[in-house]
Amino acid sequence: METDYLSSVQKQFEYYKSLGERTIAQVPEDKLFWQANEESNSIATIVKHLSGNMLSRWTDFLTSDGEKATRDREAEFDNDITNKEALLKLWGAGWKCFLDTLYVLKDEDLNKEIFIRNMGHTVIEAINRQLAHYPYHIGQIVFLGKMICGPSWVSLSIPRGKSDVYNAEKFSKPKHKEHFTDEFIEKKRKL
């Protein structure tokens, strides 16, 4: 089971990463910095926060506290990114740090203890914590993207009105084991 766990979470994180990227690709550059009000975050701000979290949590993951002294979490919420290139650079740096670490973890690492703000977590608990945190923010990015794009939005999953067709295709195949993200990751590789 533990081997399946690492493979499963790797695929799930890759899937959520692709949802964020496919959203960012659809949103006009100037709208990546739009905020509904002073208390809300722009897509760029959410990206900045995700990147800061990933760099802090996953740098020296097994050997140092996940809340690095160099992290300025409060500044992550300043809406001060000014162009898409800077946004994508932050996005890429955070995901690279995180995924590079996630992909080198072994089954024997899963029950090791790591610390986040001096609170002990098993590696599994730390991964699960981020499996809740990162998709939470990716969902915000997607929601903002859908609001911004309006009728020009291209669905990231099963388009409205296509559920019957999608289900018919799935049920036309024999029962088999497949991770739910496989088809989405495969599509991304082909692009």
Side-chain angles (χ1 to χ4, degrees), residues 78-133:
D78 294 339
N79 195 18
D80 59 0
I81 300 173
T82 58
N83 60 65
K84 187 174 185 176
E85 182 181 342
L87 177 148
L88 292 174
K89 186 175 179 180
L90 282 172
W91 177 267
W95 281 102
K96 180 177 182 351
C97 177
F98 167 52
L99 292 174
D100 284 355
T101 301
L102 185 64
Y103 277 96
V104 298
L105 291 174
K106 306 285 184 237
D107 289 343
E108 55 268 21
D109 295 323
L110 294 177
N111 289 312
K112 289 181 179 175
E113 186 175 45
I114 63 101
F115 292 87
I116 302 172
R117 296 185 181 106
N118 279 342
M119 294 180 284
H121 295 62
T122 64
V123 168
I124 291 173
E125 290 170 329
I127 292 170
N128 288 345
R129 179 175 172 163
Q130 302 315 336
L131 192 53
H133 184 209

Side-chain angles (χ1 to χ4, degrees), residues 31-37 40-48 78-81 141 144:
K31 300 297 184 189
L32 293 169
F33 317 101
W34 174 81
Q35 295 175 246
N37 57 56
S40 65
N41 293 315
S42 67
I43 290 173
T45 301
I46 297 166
V47 166
K48 190 176 172 186
D78 294 339
N79 195 18
D80 59 0
I81 300 173
I141 290 171
L144 286 167

Side-chain angles (χ1 to χ4, degrees), residues 176-187:
H176 63 285
K177 182 163 173 50
E178 179 181 1
H179 198 274
F180 81 96
T181 64
D182 287 346
E183 69 181 289
F184 300 104
I185 292 170
E186 188 58 34
K187 282 181 189 174

Side-chain angles (χ1 to χ4, degrees), residues 158-159 161-173 183:
I158 305 166
K162 302 293 182 185
S163 295
D164 290 343
V165 172
Y166 182 83
N167 286 340
E169 190 271 328
K170 290 296 181 187
F171 285 112
S172 71
K173 298 177 182 175
E183 69 181 289

Side-chain angles (χ1 to χ4, degrees), residues 49-64:
H49 169 59
L50 281 168
S51 181
N53 180 280
M54 290 174 178
L55 292 170
S56 185
R57 296 289 184 265
W58 299 95
T59 300
D60 302 322
F61 175 66
L62 294 173
T63 58
S64 70

Side-chain angles (χ1 to χ4, degrees), residues 26-28 142-155:
Q26 290 189 57
V27 174
V142 172
F143 180 73
L144 286 167
K146 288 175 81 169
M147 284 189 354
I148 291 166
C149 291
S152 68
W153 175 256
V154 177
S155 177

